[in-house]
Amino acid sequence: MDRTVVRCAEGHVFSTASFPMQHLGPGRIGPGRLLRCPRCARLRQSVPVAPEKG
């Protein structure tokens, strides 16, 4: 199962097994999704983190 690395609105970075509706793409409904952040334990707007090059 692929995991997606995301950053919540508070700046916490974590990975999630599912990133809801990612198949629709950012052009349709925007890049962010509501996910429960494991650091602050609240539903937060989260966006995928771009992979580092190098």
Side-chain angles (χ1 to χ4, degrees):
M1 181 183 311
D2 290 336
R3 296 190 66 82
T4 303
V5 178
V6 296
R7 180 184 320 273
C8 82
E10 295 293 318
H12 303 133
V13 176
F14 59 97
S15 66
T16 181
S18 65
F19 193 65
M21 300 169 67
Q22 70 184 20
H23 64 280
L24 292 178
R28 293 263 324 254
I29 57 175
R33 307 289 183 271
L34 280 177
L35 295 174
R36 185 166 306 278
C37 175
R39 295 276 312 274
C40 52
R42 298 183 129 176
L43 282 176
R44 299 280 187 204
Q45 182 78 6
S46 301
V47 294
V49 174
E52 292 182 13
K53 295 179 180 175

